[in-house]
């Protein structure tokens, strides 16, 4: 399925697959925290699923931006990334709500955290895209200076 010799930065992994993997990790952590809340060993608060949700949304944003470097079709990747982010937010938020029994507002200031992460994600995507374009221009100039083009 994957070429073993390729770097993770050179693999073209779909944003939907990334979001699915992140959601599965989020679900594992939520189930663990839910089960751990019944023991006296761990002191788990009722709002813990919202902490897990926001943590994994940020993790998705970072991973997605890093893996966007390898893509060939930038616009399609961007579209799929944003759709995946929104879907992960809706599904992950619903899961946190179902497990905790608290809405986002009842759990704390997670709405503002999510807004900040969303703007940060869009900004980071833009920065990565701009960096990629600058590197492309520099490589083109380098080829011209060496007389290859």
């Amino acid at each position: 399925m994957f070429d073993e010799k390729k770097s993770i930065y050179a693999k073209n992994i779909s944003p939907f697959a990334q979001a699915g993997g992140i959601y599965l990790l989020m679900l594992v952590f939520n189930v663990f925290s839910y089960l751990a809340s019944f023991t006296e060993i761990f002191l788990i608060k009722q709002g813990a699923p919202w902490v897990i949700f926001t943590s994994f949304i940020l993790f998705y944003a970072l991973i997605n931006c890093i893996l966007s470097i390898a893509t060939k079709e930038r616009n399609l990747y961007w579209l799929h990334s944003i759709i995946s982010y929104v879907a992960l937010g809706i599904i992950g938020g619903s899961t946190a709500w179902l497990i905790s029994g608290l809405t986002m507002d009842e759990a704390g200031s997670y709405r503002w955290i999510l807004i900040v992460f969303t703007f940060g994600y869009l900004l980071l995507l833009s920065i990565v895209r701009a960096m990629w374009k600058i590197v492309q221009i520099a490589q083109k100039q380098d080829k011209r200076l060496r007389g290859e083009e």
Side-chain angles (χ1 to χ4, degrees):
M1 182 173 169
F2 291 115
D3 184 9
E4 298 297 326
K5 295 178 184 175
K6 274 188 172 181
S7 166
I8 187 76
Y9 303 111
K11 293 180 181 178
N12 194 3
I13 302 171
S14 165
F16 297 115
Q18 296 169 32
I22 297 292
Y23 178 72
L24 289 176
L25 281 172
M26 188 186 307
L27 198 58
V28 166
F29 275 78
N30 273 320
V31 168
F32 175 76
S33 79
Y34 178 74
L35 295 175
S37 68
F38 293 115
T39 68
E40 292 183 11
I41 299 171
F42 300 103
L43 298 174
I44 308 274
K45 294 184 178 182
Q46 189 178 6
W50 288 104
V51 173
I52 294 168
F53 163 69
T54 53
S55 300
F56 277 97
I57 280 286
L58 180 61
F59 184 60
Y60 170 79
L62 293 173
I63 293 297
N64 182 256
C65 288
I66 290 169
L67 294 178
S68 72
I69 295 169
T71 190
K72 305 250 184 296
E73 298 178 26
R74 300 268 174 233
N75 293 332
L76 186 62
Y77 189 90
W78 247 42
L79 176 66
H80 289 173
S81 294
I82 292 170
I83 291 170
S84 298
Y85 182 84
V86 170
L88 183 63
I90 291 170
I91 295 169
S94 299
T95 302
W97 171 64
L98 288 172
I99 291 175
S100 70
L102 299 172
T103 65
M104 188 181 292
D105 294 322
E106 292 171 343
S109 58
Y110 295 104
R111 181 176 307 276
W112 283 107
I113 292 171
L114 188 60
I115 289 170
V116 169
F117 285 175
T118 300
F119 282 115
Y121 170 58
L122 294 174
L123 181 64
L124 193 57
L125 261 180
S126 300
I127 290 170
V128 169
R129 188 178 174 111
M131 284 182 358
W132 184 82
K133 189 66 175 171
I134 291 168
V135 167
Q136 236 185 359
I137 292 169
Q139 287 174 340
K140 194 174 185 180
Q141 281 289 73
D142 191 41
K143 283 183 180 180
R144 280 189 193 149
L145 289 173
R146 286 187 275 151
E148 294 176 6
E149 194 172 281

